[in-house]
Amino acid sequence: MSVWDDVVGQEPAVRVLTRAATAARRGTTGMTHAWLLTGPPGSGRSTAARAFAAALACEDPAAIGCGRCSGCRTALAGSHADVTLFTTEHTWIRRVDVEPLIATAQRRPSVGRWRVIVVEDADRLNETSGNVLLKTIEEPPPQTVWLLCAPAVDDVLPTIRSRARHVPLRIPPAEAVAELLVRRDGVDPVMAAFAARAAQSHVGLARRLARDEGARIRRREVLRLPQRVRGVGDAVIAAGELVDIAAEEAGASTVERDAREKAELLRALGADGSATVPPAVRAQVRQLEEDQKRRARRHQTDVLDRALVDLLALLRDVLVVQLGAPVELVNSDMTTEVRTMAGAGTPEETLARAEAVQLARERLAQNVAPLLAIEALALSLRPARRDD
Ligand SMILES: [Zn+2]
């Protein structure tokens, strides 16, 4: 057992981080104080960051990152006193988000040797918040370690990335993800293999696909989209449905959490139990509700983006068949559909469709209204006219 057990298919990165944690045992000199962990969504950036934090917090004299001692367990669980995990629901990490982190970074660790601050989505730092953070990264307190996570190096402000040591994560092999699902989540091996491939090695999605029938049904609905769209009418209807599916999926996971957060806030303000929200706490409640709405929007966009990534994988399979390339299909459960689509068009058309999907992803990332972006996409998925 070790803290790295859930970091699958990342042997080179794990080697680098283990070596650093081992050296960190001997003293603070030579320690890198800012790390940049990059990897595509689902590759396990934050899992790797947590595991590294745990290895630094490990109290076992014989092993580094034993996974059993209280340092390891609390760091992995996110409750270690010297490990701070920062995530954001906002499009940008703001100055007010960074300032408390910097204050924390100045404090000496309370139980262990290191104070670790994990910043997920470091690509969301803007000029202002990035510059504030930069100062402390340039002159770090001797026992503080920053772990910044982002999809790719280019996504992070140049000033920040030039001062951080870069550790790239790769897309883990599907076999490694399947093995994790079997070992950790008790998923049946056949289902685990299917889910890992269909989710293109995205660990979290593979887990959901394997365990949630609803998620499997939604995925198939998304992948049927290109075949369903024949004319403008179909396209508009299909786009509306896809946006609804995403809203439903995003909503399913947040309704409960929203209600719980509100109840907790009211309790903290001493206003629970009253039928109406007392005027004195309305502002706080309104702020919470706004944050929740923003989070729901971001979640819906994330779900839609994943659907588009699924569509890209399907089009890639279609292209593979059209070109006769000797590689395995991602969507092995949809071989018939893939062959039908491959026979109905040309590689050029498939590429044009893939570009349209990519364009829709970019528009969503730029906060274009989801329905508009998806409608435009659905229109460009219509089959080419062959009567000229
Ligand atoms: Zn330990």
Side-chain angles (χ1 to χ4, degrees), residues 99-287:
E99 278 162 353
L101 295 178
I102 291 171
T104 306
Q106 303 306 321
R107 298 212 313 268
R108 293 172 57 81
S110 56
V111 292
R113 194 169 288 149
W114 297 97
R115 180 167 289 287
V116 182
I117 300 177
V118 179
V119 179
E120 288 184 25
D121 303 312
D123 51 309
R124 293 172 196 256
L125 285 162
N126 59 21
E127 291 285 340
T128 314
S129 57
N131 277 330
V132 175
L133 183 64
L134 187 62
K135 288 202 191 81
T136 155
I137 289 181
E138 280 175 327
E139 290 164 29
Q143 286 170 281
T144 295
V145 177
W146 291 86
L147 306 181
L148 311 174
C149 305
V153 178
D154 289 348
D155 297 334
V156 180
L157 291 169
T159 43
I160 299 271
R161 65 177 193 241
S162 65
R163 279 166 185 85
R165 181 163 168 201
H166 179 213
V167 177
L169 302 185
R170 56 191 183 186
I171 296 175
E175 296 72 31
V177 174
E179 192 266 327
L180 176 70
L181 295 181
V182 172
R183 172 168 51 83
R184 187 188 63 187
D185 303 313
V187 172
D188 164 77
V190 175
M191 174 62 86
F194 153 75
R197 281 196 74 77
Q200 297 169 70
S201 291
H202 186 302
V203 177
L205 280 175
R207 180 166 186 264
R208 200 170 65 215
L209 265 186
R211 302 188 354 152
D212 179 359
E213 164 97 56
R216 293 197 290 275
I217 293 171
R218 284 191 292 268
R219 168 176 169 273
R220 285 197 76 94
E221 284 178 30
V222 168
L223 295 183
R224 278 177 41 232
L225 190 70
Q227 284 172 291
R228 283 179 47 204
V229 176
R230 288 281 164 267
V232 175
D234 301 341
V236 172
I237 292 169
E241 283 177 9
L242 179 53
V243 172
D244 286 346
I245 292 173
E248 188 189 312
E249 180 158 0
S253 57
T254 55
V255 170
E256 227 174 277
R257 182 169 152 195
D258 288 357
R260 196 179 56 235
E261 283 173 351
K262 189 169 171 185
E264 278 166 12
L265 177 68
L266 289 176
R267 201 173 314 127
L269 297 171
D272 55 331
S274 40
T276 53
V277 177
V281 302
R282 260 177 219 158
Q284 277 109 314
V285 172
R286 204 176 311 125
Q287 179 63 50

